[in-house]
Amino acid sequence: MKTASHFLVWISILFTASLFAQTHEVKGIAQANGEPAAFYDVLLIAKDTIKGKTAENGSFALKAQAGNYRLEVLYFDELVHKQEFALKNDIDLGVLAFESKTRLDEVVIEAPKKLMERKADRFVYHVANATSSAGGTAIDALRTTPGVTVTQESISISGKNSVMVLIDDKPTYMEQAELMNYLESISASNLSKIEVITTPPAKYQAEGNSGIINIVTKKVKKDSWNALLGGAYQRGHRNTQQYNTAFNLQKNKLTLRSSASTGIRRSLINWDNDIYYSDAFWQNESSSDGKNRYFNGQLALDYQLTKKWTIGTKVSAYTSKFTDAQPQLTTLFDQKGGTIQQFMKNNATSNDKTYQQIYNLYSEYKLDTLGKKMMVDVDFVNYHTPTFNRYAYANYNPANELIANSQHAGINDVDIRIQNLSAKVDFELPTKIADFTAGARFSNSKSDNLINAFKQAENGEMVYDTNLSNYFEYTEKNEALYISGNKKFNDKWNIQAGLRLEATQTDGYSREANNRHKNDYLKLFPTLYILHQFTEDKSLGFNYSRRIRRPSYESLNPFRTINNEFSYNEGNPFLRPSFTHNFEVTFTYKTFDSRLSFSSMRDGVNQASILNPDTKQNNYIWMNYVNEDMLSFTQSYTAKPTPWWTSVNNLSLSYSESDIAVSDRRNKGASSSFFTTNDFTLNKNKTFFLSISYFQNFGETFQNSSLKPYAKFYATVKYQMLDKKLELGISGTDIFNGREYSKQNMYGVTQEFKNVWDTQRIRFSLTYRFGNRNLKTSERQSGNSEELNRL
């Protein structure tokens, strides 16, 4: 209380002093040649001269006592604007438009390129300035982003239990496997930066539980055009080819952005799944030989109707054809004698297709010259994935002879269609009291899921299986309102608070089971940010947010698909959403960035591996699996030992306690990892680069699972030729083939996993850029964010 009273007294003294000084504010926005005049000198001249500079958007604000003044705007030594006025009250000069003969693109300024930075609510990694992204994909860029963990199955933020991935503030509407393939189709050369938002503000949808990763692409600068042609060949256990192109144009009021990529990605993955029962040992050896042919294209068009009003549209299309062969051999041993009891052989093939289109219409209208504006977005997503899976399994005796009546075969013909329509309106309203943002959003999703199952009859023909066939229809509506305010009290204190209200209605119907399940709930999601700036390079912050994680469309589907005689996958239409409270303390000092966070999640959803020691069934069932509390610490440090060497380092520590559905005890565990990436400039012309990255996991104990320590090593060499238009890249990924070994315990049964992912690769890439290479990055908040990662 005493500290708070002192704070209020100081605020009163400063406010009173400002009243007696009788100063007034002069505001305006400078525009040169029709675009913001960034970093121009602004002078208020009377007896004394008051100096200032315009911001990046051309705005300026100066304070002076009442009197007659002459205002001058200068670009270097050129006087580009002059006017006189009498200052009696606060005055807004509006837009100061002028022509400048000196153009910014004629001036070359050599400055260190920023690789990373900490903002109040996010960490920013500038991919465009990283050597390690040479010739790579969006997945490669994510792997080198401090605080982000990328495995073969998922993307996550260090110390967080789930994450939502956006591209230019827009969702991708894919399950994790499809998302990984999609990100592999995006060239890293088209990326500007990656934003890691650990406690998303109220402006964002509450979906995502613990955080957001926003991948921001490059945008076109005014009066310029550029194009890109590139290709890459990658060799691992299987080969991968990728070809990409892009064309961007900005002329007068029209902006065009386009990109396309296509390729064939192949992978050979081996994994062992060993199960130790009390009376038997089952050794499972499996592999996956997959091939993915894909095409990804985007076309965006913006048009400036007036100086205040811009409209635009964007169309994205993604198609893929994925084929996979998955042979499996299970050897059953007698646990006591160690002798073979029998063999189980399983062979499965899949043919999966994906068609996705995203359509966006948006409008941005500036309400005044002081930053007030309104944005309207309408988005439609159409997602269709037909899947054809064929499986067959049989049992053999120790002499490898077929056991009678043990042969089984079947087909799962699955068709999934998902459509989502959303609309939202956002306002940015800076005022003298505070800077406010507010908005509303509506979303309507419909998912149709049809499975036609067939089983092999005695005569060898495939007959319709009424027990496994099903049709499931799911609809979900979501309405949201939010408001957020940001107030800077002085040079030291900044507070931002927000509140988001979301209503959700769901309806799931299973035709064969004649089962309908409805849900209707209204929830509040508060956010709070407090930042104290000690000095320009030292700050302390506190953040809080409440998040929701709704079940994926796949998990809600009650289909049961057969893997073999002892295993099946099954969804759960009765899943509840999970909720997480996130608390975070951040400390930044120069290039040190520290984050201490605590999260508490309830009703976490997961696909649990259920082992039955009596029947030997190993089934995978979606359920509200876990309640978990986690404390984590992340330390990032950026060093520049020499002008030609930049090093980014990240240390993560975490401790968790969880209650899971398949255990009657509270699980406790700790995890730790270290990541470093080092960029080297090898010549004076800055055309020859080397990047070396190293990741070390020191081991994890998480819920009822544990992971042994493992390491990954990466290296990239990049060489630029023909005035930096032609770029050659050579990259090695997981050079020493780090392997992951994990195990879990359930009902007295131990299950061990020995995985050999297809990550040991070498990649050769060639990229040619031409046209005007001066690109400018910008970012828009628009479209759907709620349904990401739920397909």
Side-chain angles (χ1 to χ4, degrees):
M1 289 297 293
K2 186 176 181 180
T3 302
S5 63
H6 285 173
F7 176 74
L8 292 174
V9 168
W10 277 109
I11 290 294
S12 300
I13 293 173
L14 291 173
F15 180 73
T16 303
S18 66
L19 288 178
F20 282 106
Q22 291 295 310
T23 59
H24 304 292
E25 188 173 55
V26 180
K27 290 184 178 180
I29 297 179
Q31 289 187 355
N33 305 316
E35 61 180 293
F39 312 117
Y40 279 49
D41 292 317
V42 181
L43 306 180
L44 271 181
I45 302 173
K47 293 181 179 179
D48 298 318
T49 300
I50 300 173
K51 296 181 179 181
K53 276 188 178 293
T54 60
E56 189 173 0
N57 64 356
S59 65
F60 63 88
L62 301 174
K63 289 187 177 182
Q65 295 182 11
N68 296 320
Y69 287 91
R70 183 175 77 252
L71 181 137
E72 294 183 356
V73 181
L74 293 91
Y75 185 70
F76 289 92
D77 294 328
E78 178 193 7
L79 178 63
V80 294
H81 179 80
K82 179 178 68 173
Q83 72 181 85
E84 297 181 353
F85 57 90
L87 183 60
K88 299 178 181 179
N89 300 295
D90 291 351
I91 186 171
D92 180 7
L93 299 176
V95 176
L96 310 181
F98 48 83
E99 298 295 324
S100 177
K101 296 179 182 179
T102 306
R103 298 187 58 89
L104 185 60
D105 54 12
E106 296 173 355
V107 181
V108 178
I109 301 174
E110 290 290 340
K113 293 183 178 180
K114 186 180 296 185
L115 189 62
M116 54 175 279
E117 62 177 316
R118 162 67 68 180
K119 295 185 177 181
D121 61 347
R122 68 194 64 193
F123 175 88
V124 182
Y125 177 66
H126 295 274
V127 179
N129 300 337
T131 308
S132 54
S133 63
T137 67
I139 284 290
D140 299 306
L142 284 168
R143 283 197 180 101
T144 58
T145 301
V148 175
T149 301
V150 179
T151 68
Q152 298 303 309
E153 299 175 331
S154 64
I155 301 168
S156 62
I157 296 175
S158 301
K160 300 293 182 178
N161 49 37
S162 63
V163 69
M164 180 166 63
V165 179
L166 308 179
I167 298 178
D168 290 327
D169 279 314
K170 291 182 179 296
T172 54
Y173 298 96
M174 298 178 188
E175 61 176 278
Q176 282 286 341
E178 279 297 326
L179 177 63
M180 301 291 283
N181 289 333
Y182 175 66
L183 294 177
E184 282 281 6
S185 73
I186 299 176
S187 172
S189 61
N190 291 334
L191 304 184
S192 168
K193 59 186 176 182
I194 295 174
E195 298 177 334
V196 182
I197 309 171
T198 54
T199 53
K203 183 177 181 179
Y204 288 92
Q205 283 76 29
E207 175 72 25
N209 271 5
S210 295
I212 292 173
I213 295 176
N214 185 31
I215 302 172
V216 181
T217 59
K218 292 179 179 178
K219 302 294 168 65
V220 190
K221 189 178 178 178
K222 186 174 178 63
D223 294 327
S224 68
W225 70 273
N226 58 82
L228 177 146
L229 293 172
Y233 173 80
Q234 183 169 271
R235 182 68 187 179
H237 293 295
R238 296 289 186 268
N239 64 298
T240 293
Q241 303 171 43
Q242 176 182 310
Y243 308 95
N244 57 285
T245 183
F247 177 78
N248 304 290
L249 170 68
Q250 204 295 318
K251 184 64 176 177
N252 298 327
K253 299 180 179 182
L254 184 69
T255 301
L256 171 69
R257 301 181 303 277
S258 64
S259 65
S261 62
T262 186
I264 301 174
R265 182 185 179 187
R266 298 196 60 189
S267 61
L268 178 62
I269 303 171
N270 296 283
W271 62 81
D272 296 338
N273 176 8
D274 299 338
I275 306 175
Y276 296 85
Y277 295 104
S278 59
D279 58 347
F281 166 56
W282 287 26
Q283 183 184 66
N284 299 297
E285 300 172 281
S286 305
S287 66
S288 172
D289 192 352
K291 178 190 290 186
N292 183 41
R293 297 176 179 267
Y294 65 87
F295 172 81
N296 170 36
Q298 296 187 24
L299 177 65
L301 188 66
D302 296 350
Y303 187 77
Q304 187 177 9
L305 292 174
T306 68
K307 291 183 178 180
K308 292 185 176 182
W309 191 8
T310 301
I311 60 174
T313 182
K314 182 177 181 179
V315 179
S316 300
Y318 174 73
T319 64
S320 73
K321 181 179 179 181
F322 179 77
T323 57
D324 191 20
Q326 298 182 2
Q328 178 179 334
L329 172 64
T330 303
T331 307
L332 280 62
F333 293 90
D334 181 349
Q335 181 74 352
K336 296 181 179 179
T339 57
I340 296 177
Q341 296 178 324
Q342 71 176 41
F343 298 101
M344 293 192 301
K345 297 181 180 180
N346 181 43
N347 187 47
T349 60
S350 64
N351 190 332
D352 304 342
K353 298 179 181 179
T354 299
Y355 307 96
Q356 175 180 279
Q357 305 90 37
I358 302 176
Y359 307 93
N360 168 254
L361 294 172
Y362 82 87
S363 170
E364 181 177 304
Y365 186 78
K366 298 178 182 178
L367 301 175
D368 60 16
T369 60
L370 300 178
K372 294 184 178 68
K373 59 183 177 179
M374 178 181 71
M375 293 82 70
V376 178
D377 286 87
V378 179
D379 289 79
F380 178 74
V381 177
N382 185 40
Y383 179 89
H384 180 209
T385 173
T387 302
F388 188 85
N389 299 323
R390 183 185 294 271
Y391 64 90
Y393 57 87
N395 299 336
Y396 298 79
N397 62 26
N400 209 22
E401 299 170 337
L402 179 65
I403 298 176
N405 302 319
S406 69
Q407 290 177 295
H408 300 275
I411 292 174
N412 292 322
D413 189 0
V414 181
D415 190 84
I416 299 176
R417 297 175 183 268
I418 299 174
Q419 292 185 338
N420 172 265
L421 175 65
S422 74
K424 72 170 191 167
V425 57
D426 295 286
F427 293 90
E428 293 184 7
L429 304 170
T431 68
K432 292 183 179 181
I433 300 174
D435 293 335
F436 292 99
T437 57
R441 179 181 184 270
F442 168 78
S443 172
N444 186 8
S445 298
K446 182 180 180 181
S447 174
D448 293 298
N449 308 266
L450 176 65
I451 179 172
N452 292 312
F454 299 85
K455 60 182 178 181
Q456 191 174 47
E458 293 182 359
N459 61 3
E461 294 183 1
M462 290 292 177
V463 297
Y464 190 75
D465 189 344
T466 57
N467 294 324
L468 293 178
S469 299
N470 192 15
Y471 171 75
F472 178 67
E473 181 183 79
Y474 179 78
T475 59
E476 179 178 298
K477 295 181 180 180
N478 179 268
E479 304 85 30
L481 296 170
Y482 81 89
I483 186 170
S484 178
N486 183 289
K487 177 67 174 178
K488 189 172 184 179
F489 291 94
N490 51 36
D491 293 337
K492 302 295 183 181
W493 289 96
N494 187 286
I495 296 179
Q496 178 178 319
L499 189 63
R500 189 178 186 91
L501 177 68
E502 292 196 3
T504 304
Q505 308 88 42
T506 67
D507 185 356
Y509 173 69
S510 177
R511 183 181 65 189
E512 273 66 19
N514 193 24
N515 185 333
R516 182 177 295 275
H517 180 70
K518 294 186 176 182
N519 204 350
D520 192 342
Y521 53 90
L522 181 69
K523 300 294 182 181
L524 280 172
F525 301 95
T527 57
L528 175 66
Y529 306 89
I530 302 174
L531 182 67
H532 180 71
Q533 197 80 35
F534 297 98
T535 61
E536 185 178 351
D537 57 8
K538 183 168 65 174
S539 65
L540 177 67
F542 170 80
N543 307 327
Y544 165 76
S545 68
R546 184 180 188 234
R547 306 289 292 170
I548 185 175
R549 184 69 170 180
R550 295 178 176 87
S552 67
Y553 299 120
E554 174 193 7
S555 65
L556 291 164
N557 192 334
F559 291 169
R560 175 178 291 187
T561 55
I562 303 299
N563 299 320
N564 55 48
E565 180 183 358
F566 293 92
S567 178
Y568 62 80
N569 296 349
E570 187 176 81
N572 181 0
F574 301 101
L575 291 173
R576 303 179 302 275
S578 63
F579 295 90
T580 302
H581 292 278
N582 297 298
F583 303 86
E584 186 174 273
V585 176
T586 62
F587 177 73
T588 301
Y589 177 67
K590 294 184 178 179
T591 58
F592 286 89
D593 185 78
S594 307
R595 177 166 59 90
L596 178 66
S597 61
F598 173 78
S599 65
S600 180
M601 179 181 67
R602 294 297 177 263
D603 289 330
V605 177
N606 204 346
Q607 187 178 36
S609 173
I610 307 298
L611 289 167
N612 189 317
D614 298 324
T615 64
K616 305 299 188 292
Q617 286 282 329
N618 181 19
N619 302 317
Y620 299 89
I621 302 174
W622 288 94
M623 60 175 61
N624 287 103
Y625 180 75
V626 60
N627 294 330
E628 180 182 75
D629 298 320
M630 177 181 290
L631 179 68
S632 62
F633 174 75
T634 302
Q635 177 65 60
S636 296
Y637 171 58
T638 302
K640 198 169 183 62
T642 68
W644 44 268
W645 175 16
T646 301
S647 177
V648 179
N649 307 275
N650 190 85
L651 174 67
S652 296
L653 309 171
S654 66
Y655 173 80
S656 64
E657 295 187 5
S658 59
D659 299 312
I660 60 175
V662 295
S663 175
D664 57 359
R665 65 184 180 87
R666 188 164 177 82
N667 297 269
K668 303 178 181 179
S671 305
S672 59
S673 63
F674 174 73
F675 175 81
T676 179
T677 181
N678 297 268
D679 287 357
F680 302 91
T681 303
L682 303 181
N683 63 350
K684 292 183 179 180
N685 294 330
K686 298 182 180 180
T687 57
F688 194 21
F689 306 94
L690 169 67
S691 177
I692 299 175
S693 301
Y694 174 73
F695 173 77
Q696 175 67 60
N697 185 299
F698 298 103
E700 298 180 11
T701 302
F702 182 70
Q703 296 175 11
N704 65 325
S705 301
S706 61
L707 179 67
K708 290 184 177 180
Y710 68 94
K712 301 282 186 180
F713 186 81
Y714 311 87
T716 298
V717 176
K718 180 173 70 173
Y719 184 64
Q720 296 176 334
M721 300 161 281
L722 302 180
D723 194 25
K724 299 185 179 182
K725 293 180 180 180
L726 183 65
E727 180 179 287
L728 171 67
I730 303 175
S731 301
T733 303
D734 192 13
I735 295 175
F736 300 114
N737 200 19
R739 301 189 178 188
E740 301 176 27
Y741 299 89
S742 62
K743 67 178 181 179
Q744 69 174 14
N745 293 283
M746 185 184 306
Y747 303 128
V749 179
T750 299
Q751 190 173 14
E752 292 186 350
F753 303 90
K754 303 174 183 178
N755 302 323
V756 183
W757 305 106
D758 192 6
T759 56
Q760 187 182 32
R761 303 169 183 169
I762 185 170
R763 181 181 67 236
F764 301 90
S765 64
L766 192 65
T767 303
Y768 181 66
R769 299 178 177 88
F770 54 98
N772 187 333
R773 301 193 306 273
N774 295 323
L775 293 181
K776 180 181 179 182
T777 61
S778 63
E779 49 211 270
R780 273 190 53 77
Q781 164 81 15
S782 63
N784 307 358
S785 303
E786 188 75 21
E787 295 74 23
L788 178 67
N789 288 339
R790 298 183 61 212
L791 274 66

